[in-house]
Amino acid sequence: MISDLTLQIRLQNMKSEDAFIVTLPTSIANNASVKDMLNRVFRVTEENKYVIKSCLDIHTNPDLLDIYDVLVQIFADNKAGRCSLKFLSPDHTEIHPNDPVYTTADGIFSMVLEQRYTPLDYAVRTGTWEDRNTLIEWLQEYALLYFINVEDELPNRLINLDTCSKFIDVVNRLHGKGMVDVSNPPNTFSLSNKGQCEINDVLDHMQAQLSQYNIFEDVLYDKDTNEVEFGTGRGANLIIQTLETERLDAVSLIFLKIMSETSPKDLNIDWRNAIQDEEFFEELIAPIADHDRIDECLINQVIETGVSYMIQTEKEFSEMEMIHKAQTFDETVIK
């Protein structure tokens, strides 16, 4: 039987002295696998968080409360599929979730937590994509259309068929859809009229949709008063959580937004090689999985407040515009 177990967790690259430390109640520590114990400690309920926080020695380290909240969110992200977790012992031996909890002689169970965001898997899990391959093909095709569109001099360069076979596959898929023209020699290409219209249309659609939600890029929420403020410069960027809550295609919208704000020169990449690499897209759409969030029970209230704020702001703007037009008319009549 385990009693007075002290759990010590630190994130990768975190100093040992900054680790999260808590001495667990017997009810949580007893007869538990690593997975069971962690689920009990970092379960996202107010009752559970209250129990664990009451066990923290905040007199010795006041930061433990904040560290605990960070860890709770990490485990929630893992449960939602936004990230993967790997558990290691201090000597970097892997700890498997179903392993029993082993402690040192003084009752300490110490582990290092490696977190890796998995936006592609999360996008497939929560979006409309049939599978990971379907999503990657879509990302490749629209990345190619965009890069050709913004880099006029690149499409006419010869492609090395040996090193860019996956790239050629993307070109051929788009050629089959009539969006890319392939010229002689066969390893040169350019946007077709259809391809040009397609990339323009999806970018215009993205900008039109996101413009309705820009207000949620800066949200300051006060849990004590339930007050919501927008545009303070001190708030959280909740636009992705808002898009997800509104059941919009956050993956496509955010991907196209990121693409429209960047270029191969900004990324310092050879884009023809980059779009062959899944890791490129993992990094590019990382915000899909790694973004600001508030409690699920609060986001609807924030959205309702934001919509009311936008309606009121638009009404005030219209009234000011009418007053300005009336003043201009009066001045014209007087003259």
Side-chain angles (χ1 to χ4, degrees):
M1 175 178 286
I2 300 173
S3 61
D4 296 330
L5 183 148
T6 298
L7 173 64
Q8 180 174 303
I9 298 181
R10 64 180 176 87
L11 298 177
Q12 191 179 21
N13 301 324
M14 179 185 284
K15 296 179 180 178
S16 298
E17 55 266 30
D18 296 329
F20 172 78
I21 301 175
V22 60
T23 299
L24 299 173
T26 304
S27 59
I28 291 179
N30 274 358
N31 302 318
S33 66
V34 172
K35 178 181 178 180
D36 290 339
M37 180 189 63
L38 293 175
N39 285 340
R40 294 170 188 174
V41 174
F42 299 107
R43 188 165 53 237
V44 187
T45 66
E46 291 304 316
E47 180 181 359
N48 188 69
K49 288 193 285 187
Y50 175 81
V51 171
I52 300 301
K53 287 182 177 181
S54 67
C55 300
L56 300 178
D57 184 3
I58 58 175
H59 298 292
T60 301
N61 184 0
D63 293 334
L64 286 175
L65 290 172
D66 291 336
I67 297 173
Y68 177 67
D69 286 337
V70 169
L71 289 171
V72 167
Q73 185 59 58
I74 287 174
F75 280 92
D77 285 344
N78 174 249
K79 186 176 181 180
R82 287 185 281 269
C83 69
S84 62
L85 298 178
K86 186 176 182 180
F87 311 125
L88 302 173
S89 66
D91 64 0
H92 301 291
T93 301
E94 184 171 0
I95 299 173
H96 298 283
N98 292 325
D99 286 348
V101 176
Y102 292 106
T103 64
T104 59
D106 50 0
I108 296 176
F109 178 70
S110 184
M111 64 188 302
V112 178
L113 184 62
E114 287 189 0
Q115 178 192 26
R116 181 177 180 273
Y117 283 102
T118 53
L120 291 175
D121 291 338
Y122 178 66
V124 172
R125 178 173 177 173
T126 60
T128 58
W129 312 100
E130 181 180 344
D131 52 38
R132 183 185 176 96
N133 188 60
T134 303
L135 170 59
I136 291 172
E137 287 187 355
W138 186 89
L139 293 170
Q140 288 175 325
E141 290 174 9
Y142 280 86
L144 176 57
L145 290 175
Y146 178 76
F147 283 141
I148 297 176
N149 187 49
V150 298
E151 298 289 333
D152 293 334
E153 76 279 8
L154 291 178
N156 293 322
R157 294 184 184 177
L158 295 178
I159 303 300
N160 186 324
L161 298 178
D162 294 328
T163 60
C164 295
S165 59
K166 292 182 180 179
F167 178 84
I168 295 300
D169 289 341
V170 181
V171 173
N172 288 336
R173 291 202 305 269
L174 289 172
H175 178 61
K177 296 177 181 179
M179 295 187 192
V180 166
D181 292 329
V182 178
S183 308
N184 288 320
N187 51 341
T188 62
F189 57 93
S190 60
L191 274 185
S192 67
N193 290 334
K194 182 179 180 181
Q196 185 69 66
C197 290
E198 176 67 14
I199 192 63
N200 289 341
D201 286 347
V202 295
L203 290 175
D204 288 344
H205 175 72
M206 174 271 296
Q207 291 169 353
Q209 279 216 290
L210 290 184
S211 65
Q212 303 174 52
Y213 296 92
N214 287 340
I215 190 175
F216 298 104
E217 290 184 340
D218 184 1
V219 181
L220 191 62
Y221 181 81
D222 190 323
K223 289 185 178 181
D224 296 327
T225 63
N226 289 330
E227 291 184 355
V228 183
E229 295 182 78
F230 302 95
T232 65
R234 297 178 287 114
N237 187 341
L238 301 181
I239 190 167
I240 295 179
Q241 187 178 11
T242 300
L243 295 174
E244 291 177 340
T245 303
E246 294 288 279
R247 300 188 182 282
L248 295 172
D249 185 359
V251 177
S252 299
L253 291 171
I254 297 303
F255 166 72
L256 291 168
K257 181 177 188 292
I258 292 171
M259 293 297 295
S260 69
E261 294 173 347
T262 190
S263 74
K265 293 178 182 178
D266 295 331
L267 297 172
N268 193 28
I269 60 168
D270 180 335
W271 57 274
R272 291 168 299 180
N273 288 326
I275 68 172
Q276 300 179 86
D277 186 2
E278 290 186 14
E279 191 63 32
F280 168 69
F281 292 108
E282 287 273 25
E283 294 178 6
L284 193 68
I285 66 168
I288 293 296
D290 181 15
H291 57 263
D292 293 337
R293 305 184 67 83
I294 61 172
D295 292 345
E296 296 294 334
C297 60
L298 302 176
I299 187 63
N300 286 322
Q301 177 189 340
V302 169
I303 293 173
E304 290 174 6
T305 305
V307 171
S308 298
Y309 178 84
M310 286 188 288
I311 292 173
Q312 181 62 30
T313 301
E314 186 175 334
K315 180 181 178 182
E316 291 174 356
F317 178 79
S318 298
E319 290 174 350
M320 291 178 62
E321 192 174 42
M322 290 177 63
I323 292 172
H324 176 71
K325 288 181 178 179
Q327 290 174 339
T328 303
F329 176 77
D330 290 343
E331 291 172 0
T332 303
V333 171
I334 292 173
K335 290 180 180 180

Short mmCIF file of all heavy atoms in Angstrom, two decimals, residues 188-231:
data_model
loop_
_atom_site.label_atom_id
_atom_site.label_comp_id
_atom_site.label_asym_id
_atom_site.label_seq_id
_atom_site.Cartn_x
_atom_site.Cartn_y
_atom_site.Cartn_z
N THR A 188 8.07 21.83 -65.69
CA THR A 188 7.77 23.23 -65.42
C THR A 188 6.26 23.38 -65.36
O THR A 188 5.52 22.62 -65.97
CB THR A 188 8.34 24.17 -66.50
OG1 THR A 188 7.74 23.86 -67.76
CG2 THR A 188 9.85 24.03 -66.59
N PHE A 189 5.77 24.38 -64.62
CA PHE A 189 4.34 24.48 -64.39
C PHE A 189 3.97 25.91 -64.04
O PHE A 189 4.83 26.74 -63.72
CB PHE A 189 3.91 23.55 -63.25
CG PHE A 189 4.65 23.82 -61.98
CD1 PHE A 189 4.12 24.67 -61.02
CD2 PHE A 189 5.89 23.25 -61.74
CE1 PHE A 189 4.81 24.95 -59.86
CE2 PHE A 189 6.59 23.54 -60.58
CZ PHE A 189 6.06 24.38 -59.64
N SER A 190 2.67 26.20 -64.07
CA SER A 190 2.16 27.52 -63.70
C SER A 190 0.69 27.39 -63.34
O SER A 190 0.04 26.38 -63.63
CB SER A 190 2.33 28.50 -64.87
OG SER A 190 1.62 28.04 -66.00
N LEU A 191 0.16 28.43 -62.70
CA LEU A 191 -1.26 28.44 -62.35
C LEU A 191 -2.11 28.57 -63.60
O LEU A 191 -1.82 29.37 -64.49
CB LEU A 191 -1.59 29.62 -61.43
CG LEU A 191 -1.40 29.47 -59.92
CD1 LEU A 191 -1.90 30.73 -59.23
CD2 LEU A 191 -2.12 28.26 -59.38
N SER A 192 -3.18 27.80 -63.67
CA SER A 192 -4.17 27.99 -64.73
C SER A 192 -5.15 29.08 -64.29
O SER A 192 -5.12 29.53 -63.14
CB SER A 192 -4.93 26.69 -64.98
OG SER A 192 -5.72 26.37 -63.84
N ASN A 193 -6.00 29.50 -65.19
CA ASN A 193 -7.03 30.48 -64.82
C ASN A 193 -7.92 29.93 -63.71
O ASN A 193 -8.30 30.65 -62.78
CB ASN A 193 -7.88 30.85 -66.04
CG ASN A 193 -7.11 31.68 -67.05
OD1 ASN A 193 -6.16 32.38 -66.69
ND2 ASN A 193 -7.52 31.61 -68.32
N LYS A 194 -8.25 28.64 -63.80
CA LYS A 194 -9.08 28.01 -62.77
C LYS A 194 -8.36 28.01 -61.43
O LYS A 194 -8.96 28.27 -60.38
CB LYS A 194 -9.43 26.59 -63.18
CG LYS A 194 -10.34 25.87 -62.19
CD LYS A 194 -10.69 24.46 -62.66
CE LYS A 194 -11.58 23.74 -61.65
NZ LYS A 194 -11.91 22.36 -62.09
N GLY A 195 -7.05 27.69 -61.45
CA GLY A 195 -6.28 27.69 -60.22
C GLY A 195 -6.18 29.07 -59.61
O GLY A 195 -6.26 29.23 -58.38
N GLN A 196 -6.00 30.08 -60.46
CA GLN A 196 -5.93 31.46 -59.98
C GLN A 196 -7.24 31.87 -59.33
O GLN A 196 -7.26 32.48 -58.25
CB GLN A 196 -5.61 32.41 -61.14
CG GLN A 196 -5.38 33.86 -60.72
CD GLN A 196 -4.10 34.03 -59.95
OE1 GLN A 196 -3.01 33.84 -60.49
NE2 GLN A 196 -4.21 34.39 -58.68
N CYS A 197 -8.34 31.53 -59.97
CA CYS A 197 -9.66 31.86 -59.40
C CYS A 197 -9.89 31.12 -58.09
O CYS A 197 -10.44 31.69 -57.13
CB CYS A 197 -10.76 31.50 -60.40
SG CYS A 197 -10.82 32.56 -61.86
N GLU A 198 -9.46 29.86 -58.02
CA GLU A 198 -9.66 29.06 -56.82
C GLU A 198 -8.92 29.64 -55.62
O GLU A 198 -9.51 29.81 -54.55
CB GLU A 198 -9.20 27.62 -57.07
CG GLU A 198 -9.27 26.71 -55.84
CD GLU A 198 -10.68 26.44 -55.36
OE1 GLU A 198 -11.64 26.71 -56.11
OE2 GLU A 198 -10.83 25.94 -54.22
N ILE A 199 -7.65 29.97 -55.79
CA ILE A 199 -6.89 30.49 -54.64
C ILE A 199 -7.40 31.87 -54.24
O ILE A 199 -7.47 32.19 -53.05
CB ILE A 199 -5.37 30.51 -54.95
CG1 ILE A 199 -4.58 30.76 -53.66
CG2 ILE A 199 -5.01 31.53 -56.01
CD1 ILE A 199 -4.72 29.69 -52.61
N ASN A 200 -7.81 32.67 -55.22
CA ASN A 200 -8.38 33.98 -54.89
C ASN A 200 -9.69 33.83 -54.12
O ASN A 200 -9.94 34.54 -53.14
CB ASN A 200 -8.62 34.80 -56.16
CG ASN A 200 -7.33 35.28 -56.80
OD1 ASN A 200 -6.29 35.32 -56.16
ND2 ASN A 200 -7.40 35.64 -58.08
N ASP A 201 -10.52 32.88 -54.56
CA ASP A 201 -11.83 32.68 -53.92
C ASP A 201 -11.68 32.19 -52.48
O ASP A 201 -12.37 32.68 -51.58
CB ASP A 201 -12.66 31.67 -54.73
CG ASP A 201 -13.20 32.26 -56.02
OD1 ASP A 201 -13.13 33.49 -56.18
OD2 ASP A 201 -13.66 31.48 -56.88
N VAL A 202 -10.79 31.21 -52.25
CA VAL A 202 -10.67 30.67 -50.89
C VAL A 202 -10.06 31.70 -49.95
O VAL A 202 -10.43 31.77 -48.77
CB VAL A 202 -9.86 29.35 -50.86
CG1 VAL A 202 -10.57 28.25 -51.61
CG2 VAL A 202 -8.44 29.54 -51.35
N LEU A 203 -9.15 32.53 -50.46
CA LEU A 203 -8.56 33.57 -49.61
C LEU A 203 -9.59 34.65 -49.29
O LEU A 203 -9.67 35.14 -48.16
CB LEU A 203 -7.34 34.18 -50.29
CG LEU A 203 -6.11 33.27 -50.39
CD1 LEU A 203 -5.00 33.96 -51.19
CD2 LEU A 203 -5.58 32.89 -49.01
N ASP A 204 -10.40 35.02 -50.29
CA ASP A 204 -11.46 36.01 -50.04
C ASP A 204 -12.48 35.48 -49.05
O ASP A 204 -12.94 36.21 -48.15
CB ASP A 204 -12.16 36.37 -51.36
CG ASP A 204 -11.28 37.21 -52.28
OD1 ASP A 204 -10.27 37.77 -51.79
OD2 ASP A 204 -11.61 37.31 -53.48
N HIS A 205 -12.84 34.21 -49.20
CA HIS A 205 -13.80 33.58 -48.28
C HIS A 205 -13.24 33.55 -46.86
O HIS A 205 -13.96 33.85 -45.89
CB HIS A 205 -14.12 32.17 -48.75
CG HIS A 205 -15.01 31.40 -47.82
ND1 HIS A 205 -16.35 31.66 -47.66
CD2 HIS A 205 -14.72 30.37 -46.96
CE1 HIS A 205 -16.86 30.84 -46.76
NE2 HIS A 205 -15.90 30.05 -46.32
N MET A 206 -11.97 33.20 -46.74
CA MET A 206 -11.32 33.16 -45.43
C MET A 206 -11.35 34.53 -44.77
O MET A 206 -11.73 34.68 -43.60
CB MET A 206 -9.88 32.67 -45.58
CG MET A 206 -9.04 32.72 -44.31
SD MET A 206 -8.17 34.31 -44.06
CE MET A 206 -7.07 34.31 -45.47
N GLN A 207 -10.97 35.55 -45.51
CA GLN A 207 -10.92 36.90 -44.95
C GLN A 207 -12.31 37.39 -44.56
O GLN A 207 -12.48 38.04 -43.51
CB GLN A 207 -10.26 37.85 -45.95
CG GLN A 207 -8.78 37.58 -46.14
CD GLN A 207 -8.17 38.32 -47.31
OE1 GLN A 207 -8.89 38.96 -48.09
NE2 GLN A 207 -6.86 38.25 -47.46
N ALA A 208 -13.31 37.06 -45.37
CA ALA A 208 -14.68 37.49 -45.07
C ALA A 208 -15.19 36.82 -43.80
O ALA A 208 -15.84 37.46 -42.96
CB ALA A 208 -15.59 37.16 -46.25
N GLN A 209 -14.91 35.52 -43.65
CA GLN A 209 -15.39 34.81 -42.46
C GLN A 209 -14.66 35.27 -41.20
O GLN A 209 -15.28 35.53 -40.17
CB GLN A 209 -15.22 33.31 -42.65
CG GLN A 209 -16.33 32.66 -43.47
CD GLN A 209 -16.69 31.28 -42.97
OE1 GLN A 209 -15.90 30.36 -43.10
NE2 GLN A 209 -17.87 31.13 -42.40
N LEU A 210 -13.34 35.37 -41.28
CA LEU A 210 -12.58 35.72 -40.09
C LEU A 210 -12.82 37.16 -39.66
O LEU A 210 -12.70 37.48 -38.47
CB LEU A 210 -11.08 35.49 -40.32
CG LEU A 210 -10.64 34.03 -40.43
CD1 LEU A 210 -9.12 33.94 -40.56
CD2 LEU A 210 -11.09 33.22 -39.22
N SER A 211 -13.17 38.02 -40.60
CA SER A 211 -13.43 39.42 -40.24
C SER A 211 -14.60 39.54 -39.27
O SER A 211 -14.69 40.51 -38.51
CB SER A 211 -13.70 40.25 -41.49
OG SER A 211 -14.91 39.84 -42.12
N GLN A 212 -15.48 38.54 -39.27
CA GLN A 212 -16.63 38.56 -38.36
C GLN A 212 -16.23 38.15 -36.94
O GLN A 212 -17.01 38.32 -36.00
CB GLN A 212 -17.70 37.59 -38.87
CG GLN A 212 -18.19 37.87 -40.27
CD GLN A 212 -19.14 36.79 -40.76
OE1 GLN A 212 -20.12 36.46 -40.08
NE2 GLN A 212 -18.86 36.21 -41.91
N TYR A 213 -15.01 37.61 -36.79
CA TYR A 213 -14.59 37.09 -35.49
C TYR A 213 -13.31 37.74 -34.97
O TYR A 213 -12.76 37.30 -33.97
CB TYR A 213 -14.38 35.57 -35.59
CG TYR A 213 -15.65 34.82 -35.91
CD1 TYR A 213 -16.01 34.53 -37.22
CD2 TYR A 213 -16.51 34.42 -34.89
CE1 TYR A 213 -17.19 33.86 -37.52
CE2 TYR A 213 -17.70 33.75 -35.17
CZ TYR A 213 -18.03 33.47 -36.49
OH TYR A 213 -19.20 32.82 -36.77
N ASN A 214 -12.85 38.80 -35.65
CA ASN A 214 -11.60 39.44 -35.24
C ASN A 214 -11.63 39.93 -33.80
O ASN A 214 -10.60 40.00 -33.13
CB ASN A 214 -11.27 40.61 -36.17
CG ASN A 214 -10.79 40.14 -37.54
OD1 ASN A 214 -10.34 39.00 -37.68
ND2 ASN A 214 -10.88 41.00 -38.53
N ILE A 215 -12.82 40.27 -33.34
CA ILE A 215 -12.96 40.79 -31.98
C ILE A 215 -12.48 39.79 -30.93
O ILE A 215 -12.03 40.17 -29.84
CB ILE A 215 -14.43 41.18 -31.72
CG1 ILE A 215 -14.56 41.94 -30.40
CG2 ILE A 215 -15.32 39.95 -31.72
CD1 ILE A 215 -15.96 42.44 -30.14
N PHE A 216 -12.52 38.50 -31.28
CA PHE A 216 -12.15 37.46 -30.31
C PHE A 216 -10.64 37.20 -30.28
O PHE A 216 -10.19 36.28 -29.60
CB PHE A 216 -12.91 36.17 -30.62
CG PHE A 216 -14.40 36.33 -30.50
CD1 PHE A 216 -15.20 36.43 -31.63
CD2 PHE A 216 -15.00 36.42 -29.25
CE1 PHE A 216 -16.57 36.60 -31.52
CE2 PHE A 216 -16.37 36.58 -29.13
CZ PHE A 216 -17.16 36.68 -30.27
N GLU A 217 -9.87 38.01 -31.00
CA GLU A 217 -8.42 37.87 -30.96
C GLU A 217 -7.83 38.53 -29.72
O GLU A 217 -6.64 38.36 -29.43
CB GLU A 217 -7.79 38.48 -32.22
CG GLU A 217 -8.06 37.67 -33.48
CD GLU A 217 -7.34 38.22 -34.69
OE1 GLU A 217 -6.95 39.41 -34.65
OE2 GLU A 217 -7.16 37.48 -35.67
N ASP A 218 -8.64 39.30 -29.00
CA ASP A 218 -8.15 39.98 -27.79
C ASP A 218 -9.29 40.06 -26.78
O ASP A 218 -10.07 41.01 -26.77
CB ASP A 218 -7.64 41.38 -28.16
CG ASP A 218 -7.04 42.12 -26.97
OD1 ASP A 218 -7.00 41.55 -25.86
OD2 ASP A 218 -6.61 43.28 -27.14
N VAL A 219 -9.40 39.01 -25.95
CA VAL A 219 -10.51 38.90 -25.00
C VAL A 219 -9.96 38.84 -23.58
O VAL A 219 -9.14 37.98 -23.26
CB VAL A 219 -11.35 37.63 -25.27
CG1 VAL A 219 -12.51 37.55 -24.28
CG2 VAL A 219 -11.85 37.62 -26.71
N LEU A 220 -10.43 39.74 -22.75
CA LEU A 220 -10.04 39.75 -21.34
C LEU A 220 -11.25 39.36 -20.52
O LEU A 220 -12.26 40.07 -20.49
CB LEU A 220 -9.55 41.15 -20.94
CG LEU A 220 -8.86 41.27 -19.58
CD1 LEU A 220 -7.58 40.43 -19.55
CD2 LEU A 220 -8.53 42.72 -19.28
N TYR A 221 -11.15 38.20 -19.86
CA TYR A 221 -12.27 37.68 -19.08
C TYR A 221 -11.92 37.67 -17.61
O TYR A 221 -10.88 37.14 -17.20
CB TYR A 221 -12.63 36.26 -19.54
CG TYR A 221 -13.81 35.67 -18.78
CD1 TYR A 221 -15.10 35.99 -19.14
CD2 TYR A 221 -13.61 34.82 -17.69
CE1 TYR A 221 -16.19 35.48 -18.45
CE2 TYR A 221 -14.69 34.29 -17.00
CZ TYR A 221 -15.98 34.63 -17.38
OH TYR A 221 -17.05 34.13 -16.68
N ASP A 222 -12.79 38.27 -16.80
CA ASP A 222 -12.59 38.33 -15.36
C ASP A 222 -13.49 37.28 -14.70
O ASP A 222 -14.72 37.41 -14.70
CB ASP A 222 -12.94 39.72 -14.83
CG ASP A 222 -12.54 39.91 -13.37
OD1 ASP A 222 -12.67 38.94 -12.59
OD2 ASP A 222 -12.10 41.02 -13.01
N LYS A 223 -12.87 36.22 -14.17
CA LYS A 223 -13.65 35.13 -13.57
C LYS A 223 -14.41 35.58 -12.33
O LYS A 223 -15.46 35.03 -12.01
CB LYS A 223 -12.72 33.97 -13.21
CG LYS A 223 -12.18 33.20 -14.40
CD LYS A 223 -11.38 32.00 -13.95
CE LYS A 223 -10.88 31.19 -15.14
NZ LYS A 223 -10.10 30.00 -14.70
N ASP A 224 -13.87 36.57 -11.63
CA ASP A 224 -14.52 37.01 -10.39
C ASP A 224 -15.80 37.79 -10.66
O ASP A 224 -16.79 37.65 -9.94
CB ASP A 224 -13.54 37.86 -9.57
CG ASP A 224 -12.33 37.08 -9.11
OD1 ASP A 224 -12.48 35.87 -8.86
OD2 ASP A 224 -11.23 37.66 -9.02
N THR A 225 -15.79 38.61 -11.71
CA THR A 225 -16.96 39.46 -11.99
C THR A 225 -17.74 38.99 -13.21
O THR A 225 -18.82 39.52 -13.49
CB THR A 225 -16.50 40.91 -12.24
OG1 THR A 225 -15.66 40.95 -13.41
CG2 THR A 225 -15.72 41.44 -11.04
N ASN A 226 -17.18 38.00 -13.94
CA ASN A 226 -17.79 37.52 -15.19
C ASN A 226 -17.88 38.61 -16.26
O ASN A 226 -18.69 38.52 -17.18
CB ASN A 226 -19.19 36.95 -14.94
CG ASN A 226 -19.15 35.63 -14.19
OD1 ASN A 226 -18.19 34.87 -14.32
ND2 ASN A 226 -20.17 35.36 -13.39
N GLU A 227 -17.04 39.62 -16.13
CA GLU A 227 -17.02 40.70 -17.12
C GLU A 227 -16.07 40.34 -18.26
O GLU A 227 -15.02 39.73 -18.05
CB GLU A 227 -16.59 42.01 -16.48
CG GLU A 227 -17.61 42.57 -15.50
CD GLU A 227 -17.20 43.93 -14.96
OE1 GLU A 227 -16.07 44.37 -15.28
OE2 GLU A 227 -17.99 44.54 -14.22
N VAL A 228 -16.46 40.74 -19.47
CA VAL A 228 -15.66 40.48 -20.66
C VAL A 228 -15.32 41.80 -21.32
O VAL A 228 -16.20 42.65 -21.52
CB VAL A 228 -16.42 39.58 -21.66
CG1 VAL A 228 -15.53 39.26 -22.87
CG2 VAL A 228 -16.89 38.30 -21.00
N GLU A 229 -14.04 41.98 -21.65
CA GLU A 229 -13.59 43.17 -22.37
C GLU A 229 -12.89 42.75 -23.65
O GLU A 229 -12.25 41.70 -23.71
CB GLU A 229 -12.64 44.00 -21.51
CG GLU A 229 -13.26 44.60 -20.26
CD GLU A 229 -12.26 45.45 -19.49
OE1 GLU A 229 -12.02 46.60 -19.90
OE2 GLU A 229 -11.71 44.94 -18.49
N PHE A 230 -13.00 43.61 -24.66
CA PHE A 230 -12.39 43.32 -25.95
C PHE A 230 -11.43 44.44 -26.34
O PHE A 230 -11.68 45.61 -26.05
CB PHE A 230 -13.47 43.16 -27.03
CG PHE A 230 -14.47 42.08 -26.73
CD1 PHE A 230 -15.68 42.38 -26.11
CD2 PHE A 230 -14.20 40.76 -27.05
CE1 PHE A 230 -16.60 41.39 -25.83
CE2 PHE A 230 -15.12 39.76 -26.77
CZ PHE A 230 -16.32 40.07 -26.16
N GLY A 231 -10.35 44.05 -27.02
CA GLY A 231 -9.43 45.05 -27.57
C GLY A 231 -8.63 45.82 -26.55
O GLY A 231 -8.25 46.96 -26.80
#
